[in-house]
């Protein structure tokens, strides 16, 4: 069922519910009347049986009171001359709940300012018992007769049963049924008029709710379908300040993130394909030479084997690097974050790389004060970023590498500087790209992904990786990771 249809039905049901409830009171009263009449008939039979066993029962006030309490009825015994010779309390016929102290406290709320209807007051207003129709008919016919009365503008039905017991005497049994909702049944025709008048308002309400709820959802749906169809310029955010507007903006942000992910994946794929192009060409050329079957001297065969080995190693490094980068981007969004002291982490990373530093014949110094500089992040990944920057610096540095931590204007800078030749102007815009490498002659081959991994880690932590501008008269390169202070 469509949402618009549900809204319309809900409005119509809300308006018509009181009317349906009021009309159902008539059926409920009929069921309740049958139930109470059946109970009175059973109580009357029990009373006659008791009176047959014990002729003095009807004259014993205590026994009658016990019987009335047990069956929750008002019992009155009337002599031939019309005088009432025995009676129980009217309160006993009003039900156990009606006799609770709290019922009296809430009666005004449910029954109105006058409180719950009172059986004793009703009986007093009816006059002598001998004048009741059921009593006259029972005395004349000699058979039990049921009666029912309802006080004007009252929420009470009074059920009675007159039982001839011989010698012209009559036993009169009374029970009541009180319900505050019965008053609705009296005004059911007025409620019908009111419901018909409100149907127009309900229709207007349904249209307004449909327009304000379903309409924006449909526009959002159209935007999603347009985006899926390739219209990437379609924006999903709606100019609303409610929950639907918030939902649409979340969808728009999700669409932007997906688009960026698609573009990033396309760039990575293109870079990966470009990186593999040369080694694959080398392997193919070498394979063609081997297929030709031409005689190869040992020196040429060695050069060919060396070229194939270099190409295969390059391919293996690139594949491994791409796997590392893919796992890194996936895990960064799932790993738990905590407060990380960059000063302590820097010293631990440098200590862990001591062998590589000594093998390169360099000096690496951590420059920081005693104060902890904290950021929120994934500590193993932040250490990995610093290690990649140090690996890069160890390749180009001549004598010294410096890890410096600085606090400025609510930010923390993690700086790695070396005294090498620096980065040429032509390469400054390329060094953060995937698979770009410009290592000096004689240096070990790399994947060209080290700085790309650092950039990914920085982005996941809301940080910025940058290369400081070259300073006239100074040598080396300075890479800077800038974090918001923790």
């Amino acid at each position: 069922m469509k949402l618009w249809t549900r809204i319309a039905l809900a409005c119509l049901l809300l308006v018509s519910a009181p009317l349906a409830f009021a009309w159902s009171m008539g059926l409920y009263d009929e069921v309740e009347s049958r139930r109470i009449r059946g109970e009175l008939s059973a109580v009357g039979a029990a009373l006659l049986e008791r009176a047959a066993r014990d002729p003095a029962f009807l004259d014993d006030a205590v026994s009658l009171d016990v019987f009335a309490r047990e069956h929750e009825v008002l019992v009155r015994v009337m002599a031939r001359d019309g005088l009432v010779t025995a009676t129980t309390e009217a309160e006993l016929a009003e039900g156990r709940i009606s006799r609770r102290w709290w019922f009296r406290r809430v009666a005004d709320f449910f029954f109105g300012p006058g409180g719950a209807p009172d059986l004793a007051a009703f009986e007093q207003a009816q006059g002598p018992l001998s004048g009741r129709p059921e009593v006259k008919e029972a005395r004349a016919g000699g058979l039990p007769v049921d009666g029912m009365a309802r006080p004007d503008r009252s929420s009470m039905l009074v059920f009675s049963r007159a039982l001839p017991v011989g010698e012209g005497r009559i036993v009169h049994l009374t029970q009541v049924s009180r319900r505050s909702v019965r008053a609705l049944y009296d005004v059911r025709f007025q409620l019908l008029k009111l419901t018909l008048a409100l149907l127009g308002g309900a229709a207007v309400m349904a249209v307004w709710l449909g327009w304000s709820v379903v309409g924006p959802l449909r526009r959002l749906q159209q935007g999603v379908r347009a985006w899926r169809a390739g219209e990437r310029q379609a924006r999903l955010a709606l100019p609303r300040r409610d929950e639907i507007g918030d939902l649409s903006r979340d969808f728009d942000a999700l669409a932007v993130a997906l688009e960026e992910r698609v573009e990033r994946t396309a760039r990575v794929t293109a870079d990966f394909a470009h990186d593999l192009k040369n080694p694959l060409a080398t392997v193919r050329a070498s394979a063609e030479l081997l297929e030709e079957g031409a005689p190869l001297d040992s020196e040429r065969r060695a050069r060919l084997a060396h070229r194939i080995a270099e190409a295969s190693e390059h391919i293996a490094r690139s594949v491994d690097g791409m796997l590392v980068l893919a796992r890194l981007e996936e895990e960064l969004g799932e790993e738990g974050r905590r407060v990380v002291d960059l000063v302590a982490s820097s010293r631990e990373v440098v200590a862990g790389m001591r062998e590589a530093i000594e093998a390169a014949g360099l000096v690496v110094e951590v420059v920081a004060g005693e104060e902890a500089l904290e950021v929120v992040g994934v500590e193993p990944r932040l250490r990995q970023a610093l290690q990649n920057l140090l690996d890069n610096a160890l390749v180009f540095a001549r004598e010294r590498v410096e890890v410096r931590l600085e606090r400025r204007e609510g930010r923390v800078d993690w700086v790695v500087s070396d005294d090498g030749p620096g980065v040429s102007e032509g390469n400054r815009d390329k060094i953060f790209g995937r698979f770009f490498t410009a290592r000096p002659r004689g240096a070990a081959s790399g994947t060209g992904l080290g700085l790309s991994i650092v950039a990914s880690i920085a982005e996941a932590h809301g940080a910025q990786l940058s290369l400081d501008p070259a300073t006239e008269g100074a040598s080396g390169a300075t890479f800077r990771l800038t974090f918001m202070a923790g």
Side-chain angles (χ1 to χ4, degrees):
M1 185 183 295
K2 295 292 187 180
L3 183 59
W4 196 305
T5 305
R6 294 182 183 182
I7 292 175
L9 287 177
C11 291
L12 294 177
L13 288 175
L14 186 64
V15 170
S16 60
L19 178 64
F21 186 68
W23 279 88
S24 70
M25 284 299 97
L27 178 61
Y28 185 75
D29 276 347
E30 182 177 351
V31 174
E32 184 74 357
S33 299
R34 291 178 180 177
R35 183 188 67 81
I36 294 181
R37 285 195 178 102
E39 289 183 0
L40 279 179
S41 178
V43 171
L47 184 142
L48 292 177
E49 182 182 354
R50 177 75 178 274
R53 294 197 314 268
D54 182 8
F57 169 65
L58 296 178
D59 299 317
D60 185 353
V62 175
S63 297
L64 283 177
D65 186 70
V66 171
F67 184 87
R69 288 181 183 276
E70 180 182 354
H71 297 282
E72 294 188 341
V73 294
L74 168 61
V75 181
R76 285 171 290 183
V77 181
M78 188 183 70
R80 180 189 296 273
D81 58 3
L83 294 177
V84 177
T85 60
T87 183
T88 60
E89 298 177 10
E91 194 177 73
L92 299 178
E94 295 179 349
R96 292 187 177 88
I97 293 179
S98 301
R99 298 197 296 274
R100 303 293 183 185
W101 63 269
W102 52 264
F103 179 82
R104 300 298 180 185
R105 292 181 177 271
V106 300
D108 288 349
F109 177 78
F110 287 102
F111 291 94
D118 187 356
L119 178 60
F122 169 77
E123 287 294 334
Q124 185 177 2
Q126 295 300 301
L129 190 63
S130 58
R132 308 286 175 87
E134 65 272 15
V135 173
K136 293 179 180 180
E137 188 174 346
R139 174 169 286 175
L143 296 174
V145 177
D146 291 326
M148 186 182 74
R150 179 176 180 183
D152 294 339
R153 291 175 298 178
S154 173
S155 299
M156 178 174 66
L157 286 178
V158 182
F159 297 89
S160 58
R161 187 172 180 83
L163 302 171
V165 292
E167 300 179 359
R169 292 199 301 174
I170 298 292
V171 176
H172 194 271
L173 307 177
T174 304
Q175 271 192 339
V176 298
S177 173
R178 298 191 300 194
R179 288 191 303 279
S180 60
V181 295
R182 183 178 284 115
L184 289 174
Y185 185 65
D186 294 337
V187 295
R188 60 191 183 281
F189 293 105
Q190 289 82 353
L191 278 176
L192 175 60
K193 296 176 184 178
L194 178 62
T195 301
L196 292 176
L198 290 176
L199 283 177
V204 173
M205 179 66 70
V207 172
W208 178 78
L209 286 174
W211 174 79
S212 61
V213 176
V214 181
L217 291 178
R218 284 183 174 175
R219 290 195 294 273
L220 179 59
Q221 181 188 51
Q222 292 170 358
V224 171
R225 289 178 175 177
W227 195 89
R228 289 179 57 192
E231 300 178 19
R232 296 294 190 258
Q233 74 281 3
R235 293 274 66 90
L236 306 180
L238 301 176
R240 297 171 62 98
R241 297 301 173 189
D242 55 9
E243 291 80 357
I244 296 179
D246 294 340
L247 176 64
S248 69
R249 285 183 284 277
D250 289 341
F251 268 112
D252 191 66
L254 177 61
V256 171
L258 289 175
E259 181 66 16
E260 291 176 352
R261 176 66 64 88
V262 170
E263 292 177 356
R264 185 161 57 248
T265 301
R267 290 196 300 270
V268 170
T269 303
D271 292 343
F272 189 44
H274 179 75
D275 181 70
L276 296 182
K277 185 176 181 179
N278 288 336
L280 287 175
T282 299
V283 172
R284 183 182 300 110
S286 300
E288 289 175 354
L289 285 175
L290 293 174
E291 286 179 349
E292 289 176 358
L296 299 174
D297 55 39
S298 58
E299 182 179 353
R300 189 175 182 185
R301 186 182 298 277
R303 286 199 306 269
L304 193 61
H306 180 69
R307 290 173 58 189
I308 294 175
E310 280 188 337
S312 62
E313 289 176 4
H314 184 97
I315 294 173
R317 287 196 304 270
S318 297
V319 171
D320 290 341
M322 284 297 296
L323 291 175
V324 170
L325 191 60
R327 284 196 298 268
L328 176 67
E329 292 181 349
E330 180 180 355
E331 293 170 358
L332 273 172
E334 300 176 354
E335 292 178 312
R337 305 196 175 199
R338 63 183 183 87
V339 176
V340 179
D341 181 5
L342 297 183
V343 175
S345 294
S346 298
R347 289 174 177 150
E348 290 173 6
V349 170
V350 171
M353 298 179 63
R354 183 60 57 191
E355 292 184 4
I357 294 171
E358 292 177 353
L362 301 173
V363 175
V364 178
E365 182 180 3
V366 177
V367 180
E370 296 299 324
E371 178 188 6
L373 295 181
E374 297 178 336
V375 298
V376 177
V378 182
E379 186 172 17
R381 300 309 176 192
L382 293 176
R383 292 188 178 193
Q384 181 180 2
L386 176 60
Q387 183 172 340
N388 285 11
L389 291 176
L390 286 175
D391 284 338
N392 184 74
L394 294 180
V395 172
F396 294 96
R398 295 190 178 97
E399 298 178 356
R400 178 182 177 83
V401 177
E402 182 179 272
V403 180
R404 188 170 65 257
L405 292 109
E406 305 170 348
R407 182 189 293 274
R408 57 184 179 91
E409 298 179 358
R411 299 178 182 272
V412 174
D413 286 346
W414 210 1
V415 183
V416 177
S417 303
D418 64 69
D419 59 356
V423 181
S424 66
E425 287 298 326
N427 290 338
R428 294 183 68 87
D429 295 333
K430 302 176 182 178
I431 56 174
F432 297 122
R434 293 178 177 86
F435 303 109
F436 177 81
T437 181
R439 295 195 168 210
R441 185 180 299 276
S445 300
T447 62
L449 293 174
L451 293 179
S452 296
I453 290 175
V454 177
S456 296
I457 294 173
E459 181 181 359
H461 286 79
Q464 181 179 3
L465 173 63
S466 61
L467 173 64
D468 283 2
T471 304
E472 185 176 352
S475 61
T478 300
F479 293 89
R480 185 180 300 270
L481 268 171
T482 302
F483 298 84
M484 297 296 295

